[in-house]
Amino acid sequence: MSASHSQRLSEIRHRILTLLLNEHDLVDELLDKASHLSPEQQRENVIHREILQQDISQLHAADLADILEALPEEARLALWSLVPGEKRGRVLVEASETVWDSLTEEMSDRAILQAMEPLDIDDQAWLVRYLPRDLTGRLLTSLEPNLRARILSVMQFDRDRVGRVMDFNILTVREDVTLATVQRFLRKGKSMPDGTDKIFITNENNQLLGELLLTDILLNKPKTMVSDVMNSHPTTFQLDDKAEDAASAFERYNLISAAVTDAQGKLIGRITIEDVVDLVNKENESNIRKMGGISQEEDVFAPVRKSVRNRWAWLAINLCTAFIASRVIGLFENTISQIVALATLMPIIAGIGGNTGNQTITMIVRALALHQVEPGNFSFLFMRELGVALINGLFWGAIMGGITWLMYDNMALGGVMMLAMVLNLLLAAIMGVMVPLVMTKMKRDPAVGSSVLITAITDTGGFFIFLGLATIFLIPH
Amino acid sequence: MSASHSQRLSEIRHRILTLLLNEHDLVDELLDKASHLSPEQQRENVIHREILQQDISQLHAADLADILEALPEEARLALWSLVPGEKRGRVLVEASETVWDSLTEEMSDRAILQAMEPLDIDDQAWLVRYLPRDLTGRLLTSLEPNLRARILSVMQFDRDRVGRVMDFNILTVREDVTLATVQRFLRKGKSMPDGTDKIFITNENNQLLGELLLTDILLNKPKTMVSDVMNSHPTTFQLDDKAEDAASAFERYNLISAAVTDAQGKLIGRITIEDVVDLVNKENESNIRKMGGISQEEDVFAPVRKSVRNRWAWLAINLCTAFIASRVIGLFENTISQIVALATLMPIIAGIGGNTGNQTITMIVRALALHQVEPGNFSFLFMRELGVALINGLFWGAIMGGITWLMYDNMALGGVMMLAMVLNLLLAAIMGVMVPLVMTKMKRDPAVGSSVLITAITDTGGFFIFLGLATIFLIPH
């Protein structure tokens, strides 16, 4: 961004955040919670409010959404109260779903629907469906039949399908006209949808015949026929294709927009790189969260009660797995009471196993996401991870075994340490490969909670292996 | 993608993988390692080789790169040997850096440079610089002075700067001509670079004055002057702007291409959405890896020795932290020998702390990446995480404390369990916020190894808190 632009943006941003985070009187007044303000304070608030309003009017909806996301709830609502109705729809579309709740809580259904009026029909369909209150019915009754039919057709698709991601902003022409005619037609329309890099060629039945790049209109002679320069084998998508696959095709073939058709080849809409970028970002963020078992909906500024509720399930699961690991140790209390050093050493075995298992699982989940794991190369993968684990186990196991031997002056204890390390690293490698593969086979997302699961396995396994070996080799029977 | 396209792609993909993973004779022959093949086997290999060659010729470079990435090293080299020289450059650009090593190992410097000839100059600059062998010098001497100067100017920028990501494929016109003239000029050029959605307006000193959308050329009358329809305040970037910031501006303002200027406002090149999508994908993937401490360069098909080398450092760090945690337990061996149950229960405290700490750190790292953490809202964030930790600690601590009480029929032990849980969850929350913030203050990437670090802290802290409390309250002095 030009220095001036990015600098101005960060100045505005800083001014808004400073005002709202420090001027508690201002926030209170904006939320109608102020009582007994001094005349001086009131005058100051008027000035601050004007500054904020001017800043808001200068901000792009996406930037405003960002600032709203970066504010604690009270300050966020105060700023939101200053955002004019006609800008709110755009901001809602750009804002993360984590803040929808707080932004729409105070708005009436009518106010929300009004705010959405300036939006594209696909954005409206998306918002009404996923806003905390389902306003689908109200939106549908307010629309003319033609638009209603379109929205309904979009809504029948799942969130991860092309039919849900696409928009209807397409321009079509026939193939038997000249480029001059096309250009006249475009000029008559006065504007083109954002992100238009091509127009689509259809026949009288609305079957897609091909696509015509804007650059081809500009590069060829006006007398050229559309059919002579159009691309008759474009990359197109069907309504129920997976949005993720479309995104990867966009990246692969460097597309800017592409046609969406129904199963009969009728042109329905288009999908643009803008949709794809949004999708990729959401996908990536949710991947990072899923690995650690954090809910989709949580943001850093969510109120405490919401966070507690969101993390509840994972903590419960984790507590259960920890409890199981602890019961495994409990089995060996007799052994530990005879050799207390075992209690000291056992977390090393478990910790290293968890670390290795997590590395393996991260790699496999990624390989699965890129469709790199095939039945044919599975055994290679498996042997590779086992090989890495064996080498690491022997090397680091020997070191830790040696240190243990020296520290406790007990060679057998050192040997048990080394053997347990090798075995737990092998277990970690096997499970790091198996867990995501089995989850995929069971049609579950291999990323969700995989980290929690592998840690549970390597902890429990590590304790069992180490204390079990110690009981066999170190305790006189 | 249309059903037929995606289906054909997956058929080709499956055929190639099956052939290369099962026909070991074929792979051996392609790698010149075959000896004494039966005539029948030789005939079969000829047929298989032809099938592969035909498949390769039908594949887009990006798809071919994907398949190469999904093969173990031997099979990958066999397939690569069949890829014709003129296609190799494109495939190298599309392939992940993790496979460059194996793909270029057998190629001579000359062969690599030849393969790169059909590529854009910026792709060439990128490849020569980052391929396992640095061929920069050889490439530079082979170029004409004009191109050499350009490449050198790109190379001086770090990998994360706009100057390195941009390309030179720009079209420029003057502002004092009509759209008809512009269109004549474009038509004379016969083609436009991929991803062109606008051309740039410069003065005689090559200063950027504005930009003209292709759609505006099509929508306005041919007699219109460029200066009347051009956008004089475009979003532009400077050579040393951070590429990441440019990517977020592209997403925010839905850009398809944007001008890149030097500090004096002279037009140098452009950056396109295609570059941005690549960047975002790389960024996201490396984030997932960094959290777990996996090296950038590792892929699931890397040879064992390479993986061992890559994971070496993290394992060593992990072993050190586990060793420290173990020494903390060692301090309390006397306490444990009196109450063996402590050894059984302590992993629960440590495990829950690690889980909570990782959840917190994931959220904070994300908030930092989105620039959502400001000095003004820091204390809010901090109190929020403490609040969540306190509630969870009291609730789950009470449950685990109760279970402990029942299991060991020891109320004091249950109380110590509960108190240790609360304290370790608070520690996890504090550290989960502090660790990434301190790393950022020290100008380090907060994502790198944060998971390993927080787990080390909550393990060590958990053992110390639990065993310390037990020593104070449960051991008669």
Side-chain angles (χ1 to χ4, degrees), chain A residues 81-366:
Chain A
S81 73
L82 291 173
V83 178
E86 67 273 16
K87 203 166 191 167
R88 286 187 166 192
R90 206 61 267 150
V91 174
L92 281 177
V93 171
E94 300 283 352
S96 150
E97 293 174 41
T98 55
V99 299
W100 280 357
D101 217 352
S102 60
L103 293 186
T104 57
E105 203 161 24
E106 303 278 305
M107 289 173 78
S108 70
D109 290 359
R110 238 174 82 91
I112 295 177
L113 288 172
Q114 261 172 1
M116 292 192 324
E117 257 166 37
L119 301 179
D120 274 353
I121 196 70
D122 55 305
D123 285 335
Q124 294 195 27
W126 184 64
L127 275 183
V128 290
R129 181 74 181 268
Y130 292 109
L131 282 177
R133 265 167 294 163
D134 190 340
L135 299 175
T136 318
R138 288 201 61 157
L139 175 70
L140 288 177
T141 53
S142 76
L143 292 175
E144 42 161 322
N146 192 4
L147 277 180
R148 194 185 309 153
R150 280 194 169 178
I151 280 213
L152 281 173
S153 74
V154 172
M155 281 190 169
Q156 61 175 292
F157 292 101
D158 272 342
R159 221 168 178 185
D160 63 339
R161 299 291 150 171
V162 164
R164 183 56 76 68
V165 179
M166 68 165 190
D167 65 59
F168 298 104
N169 301 320
I170 40 175
L171 295 169
T172 59
V173 293
R174 294 271 177 271
E175 63 174 335
D176 55 356
V177 298
T178 63
L179 295 184
T181 313
V182 171
Q183 202 164 346
R184 254 200 320 277
F185 162 75
L186 291 175
R187 217 171 276 152
K188 231 168 57 192
K190 293 230 168 54
S191 78
M192 284 191 236
D194 285 347
T196 300
D197 71 320
K198 59 182 59 143
I199 60 181
F200 300 101
I201 322 297
T202 52
N203 64 15
E204 60 281 5
N205 294 323
N206 203 24
Q207 301 282 133
L208 182 71
L209 302 178
E211 57 185 32
L212 179 64
L213 288 167
L214 296 190
T215 51
D216 281 331
I217 305 178
L218 288 167
L219 288 173
N220 291 287
K221 295 219 178 73
K223 277 183 291 188
T224 317
M225 295 297 285
V226 166
S227 53
D228 290 336
V229 286
M230 75 182 195
N231 171 8
S232 319
H233 297 288
T235 304
T236 65
F237 302 91
Q238 294 197 4
L239 287 163
D240 60 352
D241 280 347
K242 278 176 106 175
E244 204 184 316
D245 292 343
S248 102
F250 263 75
E251 187 199 342
R252 204 173 282 269
Y253 308 126
N254 300 324
L255 301 173
I256 289 169
S257 71
V260 177
T261 66
D262 64 14
Q264 286 73 45
K266 280 201 177 149
L267 180 65
I268 308 288
R270 63 163 190 171
I271 177 167
T272 64
I273 183 75
E274 179 191 327
D275 306 322
V276 167
V277 170
D278 287 349
L279 200 78
V280 167
N281 276 325
K282 277 209 187 105
E283 182 72 17
N284 279 311
E285 189 174 304
S286 90
N287 277 344
I288 293 184
R289 288 164 166 243
K290 279 187 290 190
M291 296 280 295
I294 300 181
S295 141
Q296 202 66 257
E297 290 80 27
E298 179 158 359
D299 81 315
V300 272
F301 301 101
V304 170
R305 62 182 152 72
K306 201 172 157 193
S307 290
V308 170
R309 209 185 326 130
N310 274 328
R311 299 193 196 166
W312 183 90
W314 281 110
L315 256 176
I317 291 172
N318 201 251
L319 208 57
C320 286
T321 62
F323 187 73
I324 294 169
S326 143
R327 290 325 304 150
V328 168
I329 302 174
L331 296 176
F332 297 97
E333 278 188 4
N334 185 32
T335 306
I336 293 175
S337 71
Q338 293 179 54
I339 309 173
V340 178
L342 295 176
T344 305
L345 295 169
M346 66 188 186
I348 298 182
I349 306 288
I352 292 291
N355 181 266
T356 307
N358 271 310
Q359 287 184 334
T360 301
I361 221 167
T362 308
M363 310 259 336
I364 301 287
V365 165
R366 167 175 173 267

Side-chain angles (χ1 to χ4, degrees), chain A residues 349-350 352-358 360-361 381-397 417-435 454 457-459 461-462 465 469, chain B residues 304 308 311 315:
Chain A
I349 306 288
I352 292 291
N355 181 266
T356 307
N358 271 310
T360 301
I361 221 167
L381 259 183
F382 204 68
M383 294 313 291
R384 195 191 86 102
E385 287 299 324
L386 281 185
V388 174
L390 189 65
I391 294 176
N392 277 328
L394 287 172
F395 180 73
W396 294 108
M417 186 79 190
M418 174 167 169
L419 188 54
M421 195 114 137
V422 172
L423 291 178
N424 202 32
L425 286 197
L426 288 177
L427 175 71
I430 293 170
M431 287 317 203
V433 176
M434 296 298 291
V435 164
I454 192 80
I457 293 172
T458 52
D459 274 4
I465 290 168
L469 289 175
Chain B
V304 169
V308 170
R311 299 193 195 165
L315 256 175

Side-chain angles (χ1 to χ4, degrees), chain A residues 1-2 5 9 13 17 21 60 62-63 66 69-70 72 183 186-187 190-192 214-215 217-220 222 236-237 241 249 251-254 256 273-274 277 280-281 284-285 288-289 293-294 298-302 304 307-308 311-312 314-316 318-319 322-323 326-327 329-330 333 337 340-341 343-344 346-348 351-352 355 359-360 362-363 366-367 371-372 374 376-377 380-381 384-385 388 391-392 396 400 403 407-408 421 452 463, chain B residues 1-2 5 13 17 21 60 62-63 66 69-70 72 183 186-187 190-192 214-215 217-220 222 236-237 241 249 251-254 256 273-274 277 280-281 284-285 288-289 293-294 298-302 304 307 311-312 314-316 318-319 322-323 326-327 329-330 333 337 340-341 343-344 346-348 351-352 355-356 359-360 362-363 366-367 371-372 374 376-377 380-381 384-385 388 391-392 396 400 403 407-408 421 452 463:
Chain A
M1 193 165 346
S2 70
H5 177 105
L9 179 60
R13 185 191 164 84
L17 288 174
L21 292 169
H60 189 282
D63 295 321
D66 263 16
E69 286 171 28
Q183 202 164 346
L186 291 175
R187 217 171 276 152
K190 293 230 168 54
S191 78
M192 284 191 236
L214 296 190
T215 51
I217 305 178
L218 288 167
L219 288 173
N220 291 287
T236 65
F237 302 91
D241 280 347
E251 187 199 342
R252 204 173 282 269
Y253 308 126
N254 300 324
I256 289 169
I273 183 75
E274 179 191 327
V277 170
V280 167
N281 276 325
N284 279 311
E285 189 174 304
I288 293 184
R289 288 164 166 243
I294 300 181
E298 179 158 359
D299 81 315
V300 272
F301 301 101
V304 170
S307 290
V308 170
R311 299 193 196 166
W312 183 90
W314 281 110
L315 256 176
N318 201 251
L319 208 57
F323 187 73
S326 143
R327 290 325 304 150
I329 302 174
E333 278 188 4
S337 71
V340 178
T344 305
M346 66 188 186
I348 298 182
I352 292 291
N355 181 266
Q359 287 184 334
T360 301
T362 308
M363 310 259 336
R366 167 175 173 267
H371 306 288
Q372 287 184 345
E374 304 267 334
N377 60 21
F380 171 85
L381 259 183
R384 195 191 86 102
E385 287 299 324
V388 174
I391 294 176
N392 277 328
W396 294 108
M400 279 316 297
I403 293 178
M407 253 173 38
Y408 291 92
M421 195 114 137
V452 173
F463 294 140
Chain B
M1 180 170 357
S2 68
H5 177 104
R13 185 191 164 84
L17 288 173
L21 291 169
H60 188 282
D63 296 322
D66 263 16
E69 286 172 27
Q183 203 164 346
L186 292 176
R187 218 171 275 151
K190 293 229 167 54
S191 79
M192 285 191 237
L214 296 190
T215 52
I217 305 178
L218 288 166
L219 288 172
N220 291 286
T236 65
F237 301 91
D241 280 346
E251 187 199 342
R252 203 175 282 269
Y253 308 126
N254 300 325
I256 289 170
I273 184 76
E274 178 191 327
V277 170
V280 167
N281 276 326
N284 279 312
E285 189 174 303
I288 294 184
R289 289 162 165 243
I294 300 182
E298 179 158 359
D299 81 314
V300 273
F301 301 102
V304 169
S307 290
R311 299 193 195 165
W312 183 91
W314 282 110
L315 256 175
N318 202 252
L319 209 58
F323 188 73
S326 144
R327 288 327 303 150
I329 302 173
E333 278 188 3
S337 70
V340 178
T344 305
M346 66 188 188
I348 298 182
I352 292 290
N355 181 266
T356 307
Q359 286 184 335
T360 302
T362 308
M363 311 262 334
R366 167 175 172 268
H371 305 289
Q372 286 184 345
E374 303 267 333
N377 61 21
F380 171 84
L381 260 184
R384 195 189 87 101
E385 287 299 324
V388 174
I391 294 175
N392 277 329
W396 293 108
M400 281 315 298
I403 293 177
M407 252 173 38
Y408 290 92
M421 195 114 137
V452 173
F463 294 140

